[in-house]
């Protein structure tokens, strides 16, 4: 099973969530111990991952329908280009 790649928006949402939630939790808890900072860092990473994974993805799935041709390419008549008389004369004047 192939996992889809995260979009730039998902990276941005997740990164901002980790940074701001870490700062907020550190300021609110006023902890200075190593284990306290580690718990806050792990919680912020988990929250950032949750936000990044729930960010909406652009819809890129498209369905293709195959329509059989009514005539083969060899049986079709060629399409002829229509050029007005004025345009042809102007092109001849430029070439001369």
């Amino acid at each position: 099973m192939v996992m889809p790649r995260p979009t730039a928006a998902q990276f941005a949402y997740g990164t901002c969530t980790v940074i701001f939630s870490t700062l907020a939790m550190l300021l609110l808890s006023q902890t200075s111990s190593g284990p306290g900072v580690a718990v806050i860092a792990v919680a912020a990473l988990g929250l950032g991952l949750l936000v990044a994974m729930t960010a909406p993805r652009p819809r890129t799935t498209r369905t293709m329908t195959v329509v059989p041709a009514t005539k083969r390419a060899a049986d079709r008549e060629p399409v002829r280009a229509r050029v007005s008389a004025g345009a042809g004369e102007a092109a001849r004047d430029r070439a001369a």
Side-chain angles (χ1 to χ4, degrees):
M1 184 168 99
V2 178
M3 290 185 62
R5 290 184 172 184
T7 62
Q10 287 176 315
F11 275 124
Y13 289 149
T15 302
C16 289
T17 301
V18 169
I19 291 170
F20 292 130
S21 62
T22 303
L23 288 174
M25 285 189 278
L26 285 173
L27 289 173
L28 290 173
S29 68
Q30 296 179 355
T31 186
S32 60
S33 67
V37 172
V39 167
I40 289 174
V42 169
L45 286 173
L47 186 61
L49 182 64
L50 179 69
V51 168
M53 296 309 291
T54 57
R57 292 181 164 269
R59 303 212 182 249
T60 58
T61 57
R62 296 182 183 177
T63 57
M64 293 177 51
T65 57
V66 178
V67 179
T70 56
K71 293 183 179 181
R72 294 184 311 164
D75 295 338
R76 294 185 194 151
E77 294 180 21
V79 177
R80 297 184 182 153
R82 293 183 183 174
V83 179
S84 65
E89 291 171 3
R92 272 189 244 122
D93 291 339
R94 279 183 274 160

